[in-house]
Amino acid sequence: MGNSNSANEFIILLAPLSGPLVPITKVPDPTFAEKMVGDGISIDPVTETLLSPCKGKVTLLHKSHHALTITTPEGIEVLIHIGLDTVNLKGKGFTPKVKEGDTVNTGDTLIVFDADFLTKNAASLLTQIVISNGEKIAEYLPSSGMAEAGKTEILKLKLIKANYVPEQKEESSSLESQDIRILNPQGLHARPTAVLTNSAKRFASDIKMLKDGREANAKSVVAIMGLDVKYQDRIRLRANGTDAAQAIESLQSLIRSGLGESLHGAPPEPKPPLQQKPDIEKSSDPNILKGVSASPGIVAGKIYRLKQDDIEIKEESEGRTKEREKFLSALNKSKIELSELQNRLRNSADVGKAAIFAAHQELLEDPDLLAATEEDMSAGKSAAFSWHQAYNAQADILRNLNNELLAGRANDILDVGRRVLVHLTGENAAKKEIPPGSILVAEDLSPSDTASLDRGRVLGFCTTGGGATSHASILARSAGIPAIAAIEERALEIKQETMAILDGDRGELRLNPTQDEIDRLNELQNKIALERKKNLEEASAPAVTADGHRVKVVANISGLAEAEESVRLGGEGVGLLRSEFLFLQRSEAPSGEEQAAVYTAIAQALGKDRDLVVRTLDVGGDKPLAYMPLPSEVNPFLGVRGIRLNMVAPELLQSQIGAILSASPYSKLHIMFPMVSTIEEIRLARKMVEQQKKELAINNEVSVGIMVEVPSAAVLAEAFAAEVDFFSIGTNDLTQYTLAIDRGHPRLAKMADGLHPAVLSLIAKTAEGAHKHGKWVGVCGGLASEKAAIPILIGLGVDELSVSVAALPQVKAEIRSLNLEDCRNLAQNALKMMSAADVRKMAAAFLENNG
Ligand code: PEP
Ligand code: MG
């Protein structure tokens, strides 16, 4: 039993442990539930001896002994991961009974673990069995119910073409599509390309993308990026195989729908040729070096020049099989590291940044990179040499394209390439001890380097490479590390330990500052730090103005980690959960239960005394959902967006409302509908909530409200107020729709100012309308977190400010420094102004007087 059947068409895995089987999508860890490591199954174990589910070789035993990979004779990598977050136990509670390189039979003991210890010290005992090289699998057939270790079949894997010969030969055909015009504003950069390759991998056919006489494997991200497909380019698809027709049809409509991107952003501005560095004025002062601002903040510290050591690579092979095994093991170790890194970022509320490493993980499965490595290994080269050649060649191709976005991805290939190389060569990646108080200077920092910087030692960094949009800069901003990119080359020659001030806002590095300058900087920083500390200490107290007016301060969140963080930072609840962000990257709609689990977890994190306002899907506009491709529209911001989803997919909205309602016992639940512009829409939405409540027999009180972000809702606020329980003003959209300026427009962004008197007058009208009917009104747009806007919003009668999580303590402190009467006067004067600039000037003078 176990392993392949006679025709070698299937591989059968037997239960490695006894216990109930759990679908992989139900595992409470997105790394597994979203199949980032691979597809498979999970088991909730009642036994403590992990048996091999198949015959094969142990190609990876993680150093923490909580995970291993068995590679079957067919080359299928079966990764078994005991428990969740068990890597943190550093091997405690696990006794491995095999080592890397051992051959095992189905049912052999692999690892014995202490379930009691794991239950107390890990997030869960759920054990995942997943296939990490899924491109070889045509179909997964998981079992359900109870499993008995060594006996029950838990997963049947149908293999793809090369691994087996189908019994009935299907007709194979070769087909080519018509020309397809690419309308993605940035062309086929990494994200849409990944959507395409993931879909292409579902087909057995060989699929190529053709452009200008060149062709690329449509299942390979690096190959497609190498074609440098730009906005308005024409491409074709060619498929060869039994499912060629379906592949062409499905992929071409996917490309036409935008591959998960909005097709209506502004087309790219022409860029200067890449080889040139951005035009940065050079400083004539030897002590001042200029670059571009990559992350704001100003710090004083000592220069530490960071050099990446060269890794020694042996070319000669120790035999093909051995090299291949080494390669598989290095790939697997890297995949596990990357999924742990993603988890860490997710838990630190950095959901978006985790995607950078998810893309790295995908590169490790790129068929072209793997094939190029395989080819060299077959020609008698070592795995390290072959892999090094393969990823450098791909990075060179991207670097030499005249395309800044793709050149940025070359760094990602080099980064992930180096990660695997370190495992292959056994070269210790142990970081050199960076002295505390350092300002790092390097040619470039990889995303991995940036994500693992020790905040206790590194105050800031500057790189001669990169730019404001490179991943290192994005990560620096999210970690709050001041940074400069594209700094003058002579930065690399600065002597170690030179004293310097790094000004991230101005993109300037000042060497050998005077003691006086350092003292002044330290003084300023101490003042800011003291203020922050004080605000944090007082964060849990309510925000009451000096003359006794209470304003509720709540948070805008997009997931559980931020909900938890908001409680820590004194949030009185959540004023906006942007539910569309919970499942943004998914290719299939989340089930009702899956959604319910997330809403419930968030409600529980907030508790019964706090408000939770869940906004229903605000899909459309600039937020396309990969699993919900909407027909393309000329003006998507004026199209099927927000509550209008009900017109194209009412079942989706219904199932979401049901899922939200299941969180009602755990906090004060509010359901909010976005983009409401007519009374009929809100009546219909209310009806849907009532219907779902009845169907699900939910009797808890649930408020129903709307976002006021379309001028019609603000103008008719009084009429709308009679129909809802609350309003929340979305100033981001209200500004865009009032001033007719696309909120993401690169040229007009500065004009889209929410302090424009026209927008303020709509806010005033909304507050008036709400209060006439005794309803409360909040602001959840970006304006609520802006220091200059806070007194005006309060003066206009806003009852609640919903702000970014990090801003909670400051906003509360700001409110405490105000006086309601003064705010009212300020607001009334603002309404009489002619421009946003005038309002800003007046607000600045007000704040200055206010101390
Ligand atoms: C807004 O429009 O102000 C708002 C809060 O919603 P979003 O930014 O998600 O559109
Ligand atoms: Mg909005």
Side-chain angles (χ1 to χ4, degrees), residues 430-443:
K431 300 256 167 344
K432 289 215 180 69
E433 281 280 280
I434 297 175
S438 292
I439 292 178
L440 299 189
V441 177
E443 281 161 55

Side-chain angles (χ1 to χ4, degrees), residues 556 576 578 580-581 615 618 622-623 637 641 672 674 707-709 728-737 743 779-783 802:
N556 289 349
L576 170 63
R578 288 182 161 100
E580 63 278 1
F581 283 112
R615 180 173 75 185
D618 187 20
D622 61 341
K623 290 179 275 198
F637 272 126
R641 188 189 165 189
M672 176 159 77
M707 297 274 300
V708 176
E709 51 187 349
S728 186
I729 305 176
T731 49
N732 307 337
D733 277 312
L734 188 60
T735 307
Q736 113 162 319
Y737 293 127
R743 61 193 273 182
V779 171
C780 62
L783 214 54
S802 191

Side-chain angles (χ1 to χ4, degrees), residues 96-128:
K97 299 290 180 192
V98 288
K99 54 185 184 327
E100 277 180 17
D102 282 359
T103 304
V104 290
N105 271 315
T106 313
D108 283 358
T109 299
L110 301 173
I111 295 172
V112 176
F113 57 89
D114 179 344
D116 281 344
F117 177 78
L118 261 57
T119 309
K120 279 194 209 109
N121 295 289
S124 162
L125 266 184
L126 278 176
T127 294
Q128 288 60 245

Side-chain angles (χ1 to χ4, degrees), residues 6 32 174 220 227 303 330 410 433 441 449 469 581 597 689 756 762 828 831 838:
S6 56
F32 292 108
S174 175
S220 161
L227 281 183
I303 295 292
E433 281 280 280
V441 177
D449 289 336
T469 56
F581 283 112
V689 175
H756 192 289
L762 289 177
Q828 287 313 309
L831 289 174
D838 288 347

Side-chain angles (χ1 to χ4, degrees), residues 346-498:
R346 267 197 204 94
N347 293 336
S348 67
D350 251 339
V351 193
K353 314 305 167 300
I356 296 173
F357 297 102
H360 282 198
Q361 214 158 7
E362 241 160 54
L363 286 172
L364 294 182
E365 283 168 22
D366 192 275
D368 274 25
L369 268 181
L370 299 181
T373 312
E374 180 67 38
E375 201 174 305
D376 273 4
M377 286 196 292
S378 300
K381 306 288 182 199
S382 73
F385 180 86
S386 310
W387 170 247
H388 185 249
Q389 294 286 99
Y391 77 77
N392 273 294
Q394 288 294 357
D396 280 346
I397 294 175
L398 296 189
R399 242 189 324 225
N400 291 327
L401 299 172
N402 188 9
N403 181 327
E404 195 175 336
L405 261 181
L406 295 184
R409 298 299 83 85
N411 293 340
D412 288 300
I413 295 182
L414 293 176
D415 186 10
V416 78
R418 193 178 168 88
R419 181 181 290 282
V420 178
L421 198 61
V422 165
H423 288 302
L424 273 174
T425 54
E427 190 101 2
N428 193 356
K431 300 256 167 344
K432 289 215 180 69
E433 281 280 280
I434 297 175
S438 292
I439 292 178
L440 299 189
V441 177
E443 281 161 55
D444 226 333
L445 282 181
S446 67
S448 304
D449 289 336
T450 317
S452 56
L453 283 182
D454 181 350
R455 292 290 333 259
R457 292 168 179 268
V458 178
L459 300 176
F461 68 80
C462 27
T463 57
T464 54
T469 56
S470 65
H471 282 151
S473 307
I474 295 171
L475 287 165
R477 281 197 290 277
S478 87
I481 303 177
I484 303 174
I487 197 163
E488 297 174 45
E489 293 284 340
R490 63 191 167 97
L492 301 174
E493 284 142 33
I494 307 173
K495 269 214 341 254
Q496 292 286 46
E497 297 197 23
T498 303

